[in-house]
Amino acid sequence: SATALAAEYSVSIPIPESGLTSFEIFRTNMDQLEALTGGEVINALAELTPDGTISFVESQVAAGVDGLIIIPPADSVLPTVTTLCEEAGVYWGISMRTISDPDIKAMVEASPYYIGNCYEDEDTSGYNCGKWMGEAGYKKIAIISQAKGDTTCDTREVGLADACDEYGMEIVAE
């Protein structure tokens, strides 16, 4: 666009640039955003664990980024993230996760540095995957998931379990 912003900024995200088609598409979109806005989006890998999330935030704040997008596996890390970002004046948002705990959600949303989040209806997403398999005639399935306690995966598995009950399927391996 001829009216592109001329601001310089840096935003760090904890996902790789490649390895999955969705990561590569995301990186391509970030390349276009950088070209249009004069900013920089940094792919700085992080473990998607509570400790990994805190380490990512600490290291990126120390590196001087202007913003962060995190993928928190549990609501319990969000008060610490909020405090770290407020103290450093770093804007931050959440991707691929929702906030389940209403008290933590209220605290996070009250922060002037929290910009919001983007996620899907995880229960419905899990159900829809199971429904597709059920309608295709599958009876025994295996899943690839995260450790129990990951808010997104746990919710997807609830939806999947509902579809398994409805279509007479069994999860035989994880």
Side-chain angles (χ1 to χ4, degrees):
S1 167
T3 60
L5 302 173
E8 289 185 22
Y9 64 88
S10 59
V11 174
S12 186
I13 58 174
I15 60 173
E17 295 181 4
S18 62
L20 287 174
T21 301
S22 58
F23 292 161
E24 292 169 10
I25 292 168
F26 184 82
R27 184 66 246 173
T28 298
N29 289 339
M30 293 305 97
D31 292 343
Q32 293 173 14
L33 178 68
E34 289 171 342
L36 289 171
T37 65
E40 178 184 21
V41 178
I42 303 159
N43 292 82
L45 299 182
E47 285 186 28
L48 299 180
T49 63
D51 288 342
T53 300
I54 298 300
S55 291
F56 170 77
V57 172
E58 289 173 335
S59 67
Q60 296 308 299
V61 164
V65 298
D66 301 303
L68 298 168
I69 301 296
I70 64 169
I71 306 170
D75 292 351
S76 61
V77 302
L78 297 177
T80 302
V81 170
T82 301
T83 300
L84 290 168
C85 290
E86 285 179 354
E87 289 173 353
V90 171
Y91 291 94
W92 66 285
I94 297 173
S95 182
M96 297 184 255
R97 298 290 189 266
T98 186
I99 304 172
S100 301
D101 183 300
D103 294 330
I104 292 177
K105 183 175 183 176
M107 185 269 309
V108 165
E109 289 178 347
S111 173
Y113 290 94
Y114 176 68
I115 60 168
N117 65 346
C118 178
Y119 60 94
E120 61 186 303
D121 178 342
E122 305 301 345
D123 187 286
T124 300
S125 180
Y127 174 82
N128 286 340
C129 288
K131 178 181 176 194
W132 181 89
M133 289 182 278
E135 289 175 349
Y138 292 89
K139 292 298 177 193
K140 294 182 184 266
I141 62 172
I143 63 171
I144 299 172
S145 191
Q146 299 279 351
K148 296 296 178 212
D150 182 293
T151 55
T152 295
C153 290
D154 290 352
T155 306
R156 286 181 186 167
E157 289 181 22
V158 167
L160 177 61
D162 290 343
C164 286
D165 289 344
E166 184 176 330
Y167 289 92
M169 294 185 299
E170 177 185 8
I171 299 172
V172 296
E174 181 174 339

